[in-house]
Amino acid sequence: MEGNNDRFFGSVTQRILNLWDVNIKKQTENYFVEFYTELHTYLHSHFTVSQNMSINSILPLCLNREINFNEINNITTLLKIKVDADILYDEFCNAKEKINAQDTSSQKWVTVFQECKACGISLCFVMNIPGSNAHTE
């Protein structure tokens, strides 16, 4: 599980821990690891997590690997977005060339947003899911 092996609990937490005595720091990190382990065990015992979950269908949008048209088409079906398949395929082919030329998924998304902006398309309503809950904490 992430967090256990590298013992990194966020940069602010790390700065605070570094101010403390070495023994207190180690004990606190052990408490954090124990908490994560218990939470992980609880979640897996009370919630079903499987590869067959429909949410897994949108994972290609991470752009961390090459995607194919069937995955994009399945995403539109899952999200109940009605599109013309011929137009979607043309757009997919155009975007695929530009996206795959980038190295990282973040660079790929920058390319997507730049292309959409150039065409007058606003994706803000689609991509409005926050990456974390840090803004609420």
Side-chain angles (χ1 to χ4, degrees), residues 20 25 28 35 43 51 54 71 80 87 92-93 100 113 118 131 134:
W20 293 354
K25 175 184 175 183
T28 303
F35 170 77
L43 290 174
Q51 294 296 333
S54 59
E71 291 172 318
K80 296 179 173 73
I87 294 172
F92 171 76
C93 290
N100 288 333
F113 287 123

Side-chain angles (χ1 to χ4, degrees), residues 11-134:
S11 61
V12 173
T13 302
Q14 198 63 45
R15 281 194 298 258
I16 293 169
L17 288 173
N18 288 337
L19 297 173
W20 293 354
D21 175 71
V22 175
N23 293 327
I24 295 173
K25 175 184 175 183
K26 187 171 183 165
Q27 182 181 21
T28 303
E29 287 177 345
N30 289 338
Y31 288 144
F32 290 164
V33 170
E34 184 179 327
F35 170 77
Y36 280 129
T37 303
E38 289 292 322
L39 179 62
H40 184 263
T41 301
Y42 176 84
L43 290 174
H44 278 281
S45 67
H46 288 82
F47 298 98
T48 302
V49 178
S50 74
Q51 294 296 333
N52 298 328
M53 295 175 74
S54 59
I55 194 70
N56 289 330
S57 298
I58 65 170
L59 288 177
L61 294 178
C62 292
L63 300 180
N64 57 359
R65 62 172 177 77
E66 191 169 319
I67 59 177
N68 63 51
F69 177 71
N70 288 332
E71 291 172 318
I72 296 297
N73 203 30
N74 289 341
I75 291 169
T76 61
T77 302
L78 175 70
L79 298 177
K80 296 179 173 73
I81 300 172
K82 295 183 184 212
V83 296
D84 182 313
D86 294 326
I87 294 172
L88 179 63
Y89 184 74
D90 289 342
E91 292 294 327
F92 171 76
C93 290
N94 290 334
K96 184 178 174 183
E97 292 174 16
K98 293 174 183 170
I99 290 171
N100 288 333
Q102 305 299 323
D103 293 330
T104 66
S105 59
S106 59
Q107 289 172 329
K108 291 176 184 184
W109 274 111
V110 167
T111 301
V112 169
F113 287 123
Q114 286 173 338
E115 290 295 317
C116 289
K117 184 177 180 181
C119 295
I121 300 170
S122 175
L123 288 180
C124 62
F125 68 95
V126 175
M127 301 304 196
N128 203 13
I129 301 172
S132 75
N133 66 344

